[in-house]
Amino acid sequence: DGNGCTTSDDITVSKPATVAALDSYVLMGLGTLIDDVGNNTIINGAVGHRGNTGSMTINNNIQINGFAAGKIVNIAGNNTITTVYRNSGTLGSGNTIGSIVTPVTIPLVPEVPCFPAFSGGSNVTVNTTQTLSPGTYNSVTVNNSATLFLQPGVYKFSKIITGNNSSIIPTGTNSAQDIFIFVKNDMVTGNGNIVKANVYAQKNIILGNTSSGTFQGAFLAKGKFTTGNNGVFTLEPYCYSNLSLCANRDMFEASGDI
């Protein structure tokens, strides 16, 4: 497809194909909480809240070069968004929106990656630079101004914490599309980070505070996602057809909000 996958990740349901395609989204909340896009953020791709419970808030002065989608999408002021797909939500003043499409079928995408069971692995603390190979690791900490290099493949981390001006990037000429990280707990980044990877956190993804940073890939949160202000997010999705996909948010979730 357009993202370089040999097998399409688009699953046909009764909504526009792009809304139903998981590989359209650079940010997606999969849980029951409120996802939040910080002020002055630039998003090159789509943002969405997948399920029936919870919502998504788009704050002020945000440029979305794609679409925003969810059952409830609340939009503050002075934003520029190509298209909004929603069933309800508030709308502030000064927005430039190409179109608002109502209704939209929920869940937005019929399947997401199955979240695997894993445990163990060593703790990783990066103070300057370090390179990891695909595998299972416990807590991964990247301190201020340090860089973690990742070889292409699938990773399983217990949690990710970074300091300010830290980087998590692929090795060599590889790209964010070559990296997929399952995170059992939270992913929390400091200010001014550079992250080039696809991440699925079973809890929350909190990306920056006063200065979010530069993010390439896709970021899926079973809890909620929150971006700081002034960030730039660019879609570079992993080929989801290379992973097991589930209608629920993980392979062990027999029921629940989707």
Side-chain angles (χ1 to χ4, degrees), residues 151-238:
Q151 302 275 7
V154 177
Y155 293 79
K156 299 171 184 175
F157 294 168
S158 175
K159 63 180 178 180
I160 302 175
I161 299 174
T162 73
N164 296 327
N165 304 309
S166 307
S167 299
I168 300 176
I169 58 178
T171 56
T173 59
N174 298 298
S175 71
Q177 290 181 312
D178 300 312
I179 308 293
F180 196 92
I181 308 172
F182 290 102
V183 181
K184 184 181 290 187
N185 296 292
D186 291 339
M187 175 183 185
V188 180
T189 70
N191 294 322
N193 277 211
I194 298 173
V195 179
K196 299 180 181 181
N198 287 257
V199 180
Y200 179 7
Q202 202 168 26
K203 292 190 176 177
N204 302 315
I205 293 181
I206 301 171
L207 302 175
N209 185 7
T210 56
S211 179
S212 187
T214 302
F215 298 85
Q216 297 176 16
F219 301 87
L220 315 176
K222 185 177 174 184
K224 66 176 181 179
F225 73 76
T226 300
T227 79
N229 300 325
N230 308 302
V232 178
F233 294 83
T234 300
L235 177 67
E236 289 189 19
Y238 192 78

Side-chain angles (χ1 to χ4, degrees), residues 100-117:
I100 297 178
V101 180
T102 301
V104 61
T105 304
I106 302 297
L108 294 176
V109 298
E111 293 182 319
V112 296
C114 305
F115 202 99

Side-chain angles (χ1 to χ4, degrees), residues 59 75-81 91-97:
N59 287 291
I75 302 170
N78 302 308
N79 300 294
T80 301
I81 307 172
L91 183 64
S93 62
N95 290 292
T96 302
I97 299 174

